Structures are given as C-alpha cells and as structure tokens.
Amino acid sequence: LQRAMNLLRDQDPHLISKQIFSDVCKRRRRQFYGCLSLPFSIFCFGSFAWSVYLRGDITNVYMVESGLLGMLGKGSQNVETVPQLWDWLEHHLVPTVFRQTDQYGQKYQN
C-alpha cells in the first residue's frame, strides 16, 4: 500500500497528503463559523449606531446645561466651608431659582 501511495504521489504532482487536507478542512470550518457570526455583528453595530442617532441633539443639550451651570453656579467657586455653603444657598441659589418677581420686575400677586 505504501508503495502504491509513493507511486501515485510521484505520478500526480497535485496529490496532497491526508494531514494537509485535514488542516485545510479545519481552517475552512473556522472561517465558515466566522461568517455565520457576521449577521449578529452587523446587527450589534446597527443597534449601536441607531442608539447614538437617537441619543439627542448634543449641541442643544450642551447649550442648556452650560446656561444652567452659568446661572446657578455663580459664586459657587468660592464655597469652601459649610457656613459659606449655607450663605451661598440663602443669598444666591434660592433667590435665583425661586424668584418673587416676573420678567418686568413686578412682584407676584398671591
């Protein structure tokens, strides 16, 4: 049998060994299973892109948040102790948030 295999190998230059054929089959199987996971990968990427698209208008969110921080944060940089915090809350934050006048400067009627 070995002699017949040697004779066949000598006669046909395209003949490959059993080990090489087995390695090629294993490699092809791994590539095939990698291709099977491709639709799932595309779905995950699409879901991520869609969620980024639906997240919101970043420019408007930034403008609103920076305006609120600028309005409510005035004087908060100097707060270092608890008494200073209470003073800031009483004299700046509460009057800013709970205004007692309208946009014309007139006091609200009860």
Side-chain angles (χ1 to χ4, degrees), residues 38-83:
L38 183 64
F40 180 71
S41 299
I42 291 173
F43 174 74
C44 288
F45 176 75
S47 299
F48 170 73
W50 185 252
S51 66
V52 168
Y53 175 74
L54 293 179
R55 183 175 179 273
D57 189 6
I58 297 172
T59 305
N60 285 337
V61 170
Y62 172 76
M63 297 300 275
V64 169
E65 286 180 357
S66 63
L68 284 173
L69 181 62
M71 188 69 170
L72 299 178
K74 289 181 184 173
S76 65
Q77 296 85 4
N78 301 329
V79 175
E80 295 178 358
T81 63
V82 174

Side-chain angles (χ1 to χ4, degrees), residues 9 36 39 48 52 54 67-68 79 85-87 89 100 104:
R9 191 177 318 126
L36 284 179
F48 170 73
V52 168
L54 293 179
L68 284 173
V79 175
L85 174 67
W86 285 109
D87 186 54
L89 285 171
Q100 300 299 315
Y104 303 114

Side-chain angles (χ1 to χ4, degrees), residues 2-70:
Q2 185 66 26
R3 187 171 172 222
M5 288 297 292
N6 289 339
L7 184 61
L8 282 175
R9 191 177 318 126
D10 291 339
Q11 295 297 321
D12 189 8
H14 301 292
L15 185 70
I16 59 172
S17 69
K18 193 175 193 179
Q19 180 64 32
I20 292 174
F21 183 71
S22 175
D23 291 343
V24 169
C25 287
K26 288 177 185 175
R27 186 176 303 142
R28 292 288 183 184
R29 187 179 314 134
R30 282 194 307 264
Q31 290 174 348
F32 175 73
Y33 288 129
C35 288
L36 284 179
S37 68
L38 183 64
F40 180 71
S41 299
I42 291 173
F43 174 74
C44 288
F45 176 75
S47 299
F48 170 73
W50 185 252
S51 66
V52 168
Y53 175 74
L54 293 179
R55 183 175 179 273
D57 189 6
I58 297 172
T59 305
N60 285 337
V61 170
Y62 172 76
M63 297 300 275
V64 169
E65 286 180 357
S66 63
L68 284 173
L69 181 62

